Amino acid sequence: RNPNIWDALSSFDFSSVSIDGLLQRECAAQALGAGFTTSLIAGLARYAVTRSLRTTVNWTMAGFLLPSVFSWEFCRFQRREAQKQMEQL
């Protein structure tokens, strides 16, 4: 029998999705901080220029998602590289 989406959801631990569980993960606080800061700056700047709530929300969401993902991936890359260096010693 092939697994389906319900099998995956039943095995998922939703306690790790909480704020406390998320912040305990490596790189999460850094990624969320970068995303929050950038979204605030992008949203305020866009609203000051256009006074349009619709485009402000779009810029704010993009300003959160893109830096968060980039920061998360870069942090994970740095951790992998540090782990490789430690293994070589």
Side-chain angles (χ1 to χ4, degrees), residues 12-23 25:
F12 185 73
D13 181 20
F14 287 97
S15 65
S16 65
V17 181
S18 70
I19 297 296
D20 293 334
L22 184 62
L23 291 178
R25 295 184 182 270

Side-chain angles (χ1 to χ4, degrees), residues 19 22-23 27-38 64 67-68 71-72:
I19 297 296
L22 184 62
L23 291 178
C27 305
Q30 177 182 348
L32 289 174
F36 179 74
T37 303
T38 308
F64 178 77
S68 293
S71 178
W72 174 275

Side-chain angles (χ1 to χ4, degrees), residues 10-86:
S10 67
S11 66
F12 185 73
D13 181 20
F14 287 97
S15 65
S16 65
V17 181
S18 70
I19 297 296
D20 293 334
L22 184 62
L23 291 178
Q24 288 176 356
R25 295 184 182 270
E26 303 91 10
C27 305
Q30 177 182 348
L32 289 174
F36 179 74
T37 303
T38 308
S39 70
L40 183 66
I41 293 169
L44 289 174
R46 185 65 181 177
Y47 186 75
V49 170
T50 64
R51 299 280 189 220
S52 170
L53 189 58
R54 182 177 180 196
T55 59
T56 299
V57 170
N58 290 341
W59 278 69
T60 302
M61 290 301 294
F64 178 77
L65 292 174
L66 296 176
S68 293
V69 170
F70 178 77
S71 178
W72 174 275
E73 291 299 328
F74 188 67
C75 179
R76 299 289 294 166
F77 169 76
Q78 288 179 321
R79 292 179 64 82
R80 281 192 304 271
E81 292 298 313
Q83 184 66 32
K84 286 179 189 176
Q85 288 178 356
M86 289 179 69

